[in-house]
């Protein structure tokens, strides 16, 4: 069946799907998935609730290849429920969904649902590298459920840009908990590594406006950006700051990717 010409599965085969034994259902579902036959969606959808695990999992997997934006919430709920193998199969199906509207549907669904569902949606956006949804993802940093905020920061590590630097700095500055702090720090590091000098202004603004804990987190980013202006800011911090902030600035000089920092390091030593 998978090798038949064309994409559409012969209607007579789809009509027989509900009457087939479990092994036959699984075989036909696998063939439909291989053909990416979206006309089969309405036949596949009811089988995602099948009592038999083999058929149910095959249907969920197939929905990833034939589904559309209206299936995003269903798959996210199945992925979040984590019942048996449903969770990982549904999560993969979310990543497999194709079409220009899927990423937008995933982002729109972030505004509703349980924390577990939102986390699965965020993980799917990260897996899909849906960079056009980074703004909607950043809004979840302020979610009342801390685990959603952490998932949003982890997602921005994959898809974020300079437009989300300010939101991540605010998120980092607002928490005393280790998981959000670490997630925000890693996201900022990843974005700085991708964007380089383009995000320097936002990082410098955060340094000027932030408290000591925030400055401690932001200073290492300047060695990632690595420009002369970034170096000047680290050098100034090493000379004018005290306590932990100065220690971090000195470490940033030591880690500087070029030998330009050598005279300053020798003077400090």
């Amino acid at each position: 069946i998978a090798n038949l010409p064309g994409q559409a599965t012969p209607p007579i085969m789809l009509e027989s799907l509900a009457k087939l034994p479990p092994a036959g259902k699984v075989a036909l579902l696998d063939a439909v998935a291989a053909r990416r036959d979206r006309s089969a969606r309405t036949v596949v959808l009811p089988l995602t609730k099948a009592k038999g695990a083999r058929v149910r999992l095959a249907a969920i997997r197939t929905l990833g290849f034939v589904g559309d934006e209206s299936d995003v919430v269903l798959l996210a709920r199945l992925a979040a429920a984590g019942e048996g193998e449903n969770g990982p199969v549904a999560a993969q199906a979310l990543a497999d969904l194709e079409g220009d509207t899927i990423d937008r549907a995933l982002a729109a669904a972030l505004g509703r649902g349980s924390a577990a569902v939102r986390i699965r949606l965020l993980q799917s956006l990260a897996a899909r590298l849906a960079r056009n949804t980074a703004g909607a993802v950043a809004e979840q940093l302020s979610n009342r459920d801390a685990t959603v905020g952490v998932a949003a920061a982890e997602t921005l590590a994959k898809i974020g840009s300079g437009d989300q630097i300010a939101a991540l700095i605010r998120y980092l500055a607002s928490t005393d908990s280790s998981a959000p702090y670490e997630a925000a720090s890693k996201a900022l590091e990843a974005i700085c590594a991708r964007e380089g000098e383009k995000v320097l202004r936002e990082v410098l603004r955060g340094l000027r406006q932030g408290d000591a804990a925030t400055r401690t987190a932001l200073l290492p980013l300047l060695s990632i950006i690595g420009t002369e202006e970034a170096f000047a800011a680290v050098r100034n911090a090493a000379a004018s700051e005290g306590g932990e902030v100065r220690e971090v600035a000195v470490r940033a000089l030591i880690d500087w990717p070029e030998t330009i920092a050598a005279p300053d390091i020798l003077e400090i030593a």
Side-chain angles (χ1 to χ4, degrees), residues 201-226:
R201 289 288 177 270
E202 288 293 342
V203 175
L204 292 178
R205 185 178 294 112
L207 277 170
R208 289 193 301 270
Q209 298 175 353
D211 59 14
T214 301
R215 296 198 301 279
T216 297
L218 297 183
L219 277 167
L221 302 178
L222 295 174
S223 61
I224 296 174
I225 296 171

Side-chain angles (χ1 to χ4, degrees), residues 132-269:
N132 59 328
T133 67
V137 171
E139 293 177 4
Q140 295 299 312
L141 291 170
S142 58
N143 193 283
R144 287 179 297 178
D145 190 303
T147 60
V148 176
V150 170
E154 291 171 345
T155 300
L156 289 174
K158 298 286 186 66
I159 69 172
S161 70
D163 292 338
Q164 287 78 52
I165 289 285
L168 281 164
I169 292 175
R170 288 194 298 272
Y171 176 62
L172 182 147
S174 70
T175 182
D176 295 324
S177 301
S178 60
Y181 187 90
E182 290 175 9
S185 296
K186 289 179 180 178
L188 287 165
E189 290 173 6
I191 293 173
C192 287
R194 280 198 300 271
E195 303 284 310
E197 189 174 3
K198 290 186 288 185
V199 300
L200 177 60
R201 289 288 177 270
E202 288 293 342
V203 175
L204 292 178
R205 185 178 294 112
L207 277 170
R208 289 193 301 270
Q209 298 175 353
D211 59 14
T214 301
R215 296 198 301 279
T216 297
L218 297 183
L219 277 167
L221 302 178
L222 295 174
S223 61
I224 296 174
I225 296 171
T227 64
E228 290 185 8
E229 189 175 0
F231 175 72
V234 173
R235 189 182 187 193
N236 179 65
S240 62
E241 294 277 9
E244 188 179 359
V245 178
R246 182 179 184 275
E247 291 178 9
V248 171
V250 171
R251 283 201 298 271
L253 287 175
I254 294 171
D255 293 339
W256 203 260
E258 299 174 6
T259 57
I260 188 174
D264 294 273
I265 296 168
L266 289 173
E267 184 176 338
I268 292 168

Side-chain angles (χ1 to χ4, degrees), residues 40-62:
R41 174 184 172 275
T42 55
V43 181
V44 172
L45 196 57
L47 293 178
T48 61
K49 299 178 182 179
K51 292 182 179 180
R54 288 182 61 207
V55 174
R56 184 174 65 254
L57 292 172
I60 294 170
R61 183 169 54 249
T62 299

Side-chain angles (χ1 to χ4, degrees), residues 57 60-61 75 78-96 120:
L57 292 172
I60 294 170
R61 183 169 54 249
L75 288 172
L78 289 171
E83 297 174 359
E85 296 181 51
N86 284 6
V89 173
Q92 183 59 53
L94 271 174
D96 290 335
R120 280 298 188 180

Side-chain angles (χ1 to χ4, degrees), residues 112-139:
R112 58 188 184 275
S114 67
V117 168
R118 294 185 195 213
I119 289 170
R120 280 298 188 180
L121 291 167
L122 289 164
Q123 291 170 341
S124 181
L125 289 169
R128 297 171 67 86
L129 295 178
R131 293 190 170 90
N132 59 328
T133 67
V137 171
E139 293 177 4

